[in-house]
Amino acid sequence: MRESAGMPPKDRHLSRRGARTSRTVVTLRNGASFGGETVVLCAGPCSVESEEQIEATAAGVAASGAAVLRGGAFKPRTSPYAFQGLGRKGLEWLRNAADRHRLAVVTEVLDPRHVEMVAEYADMLQIGARNMQNFALLREAGLARKPVLLKRGFAATVDEWLMAAEYVLVEGNPHVVLCERGVRSFDSATRNLLDLAVVPLLAELTHLPVIVDPSHGTGLARLVEPMSLAAIAAGADGLLVEVHPEPAGAASDGAQSLTLEQFASLASRLSDVAAAAGRRAGTARLAV
Ligand code: PEP
Ligand code: MN
């Protein structure tokens, strides 16, 4: 197929470094800023399961310095028989728990028809690895008035990932944060192969902030802390970490979820690494 005559060369694409003189900073309603001096901690369960579960998680991660509460209400499960998420009820519980602890909300949207509804509750729309090239969803998120967290597809090249971001940007939404979450490899010793080399590479290629998800990136709770420290040392603007009050009983991804205590320990160990990388860890005083 011929490319259209009006197509800009790649180095002029909106996601590319040359498109802007400064780096993009994406700020959420509570003041959490991706791409600023402070490393942003996003934490919470894989899935919202109950009001008690999300409240306990929100209280715990906020006390440890997280600024953003994560939790899926629409889950992209490999099997249609696995837990699919609680839908709107889950979004309500997530929003209320976040508000009680001055946290912002990031949550996944699976379906272009749900973008408006999810945006009513979320401060940031997560587009998951499996949907990185769902172009209808990317365009709809581009039309939404909410920042977008765009995960890397598990078999996506860096070019394909930046092109996916381009779909959101070209629709007029400049607030995109990229999230490395590991790619599929030949080795099942870890769930995915966490590609930390993309962090400094993306700093050359794009002005967009980049965060790292060491939970899906490794699949193993005990590897989450060391890979979090490594991600910040490599220059990541934040982390997305799965945390559950009782990982053994989690409806999804329990094996890679930290307890509240483990997350507190990770957050406290992060300060030194962040300082060494010229950043600060933890919450700058948040509004709202
Ligand atoms: C998630 O964040 O729970 C999730 C499903 O992530 P990913 O899209 O990276 O697999
Ligand atoms: Mn998960």
Side-chain angles (χ1 to χ4, degrees):
M1 200 171 94
R2 298 259 315 272
E3 288 173 345
S4 84
M7 193 167 124
K10 203 187 279 172
D11 61 350
R12 302 257 302 282
H13 286 182
L14 298 170
S15 61
R16 297 281 167 160
R17 200 67 209 248
R20 281 174 61 97
T21 49
S22 57
R23 302 197 70 84
T24 291
V25 176
V26 174
T27 303
L28 306 185
R29 215 173 44 136
N30 70 344
S33 267
F34 297 87
E37 194 197 342
T38 302
V39 159
V40 181
L41 298 184
C42 311
C46 181
S47 306
V48 179
E49 295 164 8
S50 69
E51 229 172 338
E52 297 68 36
Q53 173 239 21
I54 197 64
E55 167 58 27
T57 312
V61 301
S64 297
V68 183
L69 182 65
R70 65 148 287 148
F74 294 95
K75 295 305 302 176
R77 304 308 297 281
T78 300
S79 164
Y81 308 115
F83 177 62
Q84 302 286 304
L86 298 176
R88 190 189 280 267
K89 182 101 262 157
L91 293 176
E92 266 171 36
W93 290 342
L94 180 65
R95 179 77 259 168
N96 291 339
D99 286 346
R100 283 192 288 269
H101 300 281
R102 295 176 162 197
L103 297 164
V105 163
V106 62
T107 193
E108 181 161 358
V109 57
L110 282 184
D111 185 323
R113 294 167 299 185
H114 292 164
V115 167
E116 210 173 302
M117 190 251 286
V118 175
E120 272 177 46
Y121 297 92
D123 298 299
M124 187 176 221
L125 302 170
Q126 179 173 324
I127 296 190
R130 290 156 190 79
N131 272 315
M132 191 206 81
Q133 285 188 317
N134 180 337
F135 300 117
L137 181 60
L138 293 168
R139 285 199 188 274
E140 205 57 39
L143 294 169
R145 295 277 156 271
K146 287 288 161 80
V148 172
L149 182 65
L150 180 60
K151 287 195 152 195
R152 181 186 191 173
F154 45 61
T157 65
V158 168
D159 253 17
E160 288 165 342
W161 190 11
L162 289 175
M163 282 300 192
E166 197 75 17
Y167 270 85
V168 179
L169 299 171
V170 81
E171 293 298 339
N173 186 347
H175 307 298
V176 177
V177 175
L178 301 171
C179 179
E180 163 63 33
R181 48 78 73 209
V183 291
R184 210 165 251 190
S185 87
F186 61 90
D187 191 349
S188 59
T190 55
R191 181 178 180 184
N192 288 291
L193 189 66
L194 186 59
D195 180 6
L196 289 184
V198 292
V199 175
L201 183 65
L202 286 168
E204 293 173 8
L205 297 176
T206 180
H207 51 83
L208 298 172
V210 179
I211 70 168
V212 169
D213 170 353
S215 307
H216 295 87
T218 65
L220 298 167
R222 66 182 186 278
L223 301 187
V224 167
E225 179 174 307
M227 295 317 283
S228 296
L229 300 177
I232 299 307
D237 296 301
L239 298 170
L240 182 72
V241 179
E242 286 189 337
V243 178
H244 194 287
E246 202 197 327
S252 55
D253 287 350
Q256 66 193 34
S257 298
L258 299 186
T259 61
L260 294 166
E261 295 73 26
Q262 287 167 332
F263 181 72
S265 142
L266 156 58
S268 76
R269 290 202 59 203
L270 213 56
S271 325
D272 285 348
V273 176
R279 312 295 281 271
R280 284 193 302 148
T283 32
R285 194 80 208 114
L286 297 174
V288 179

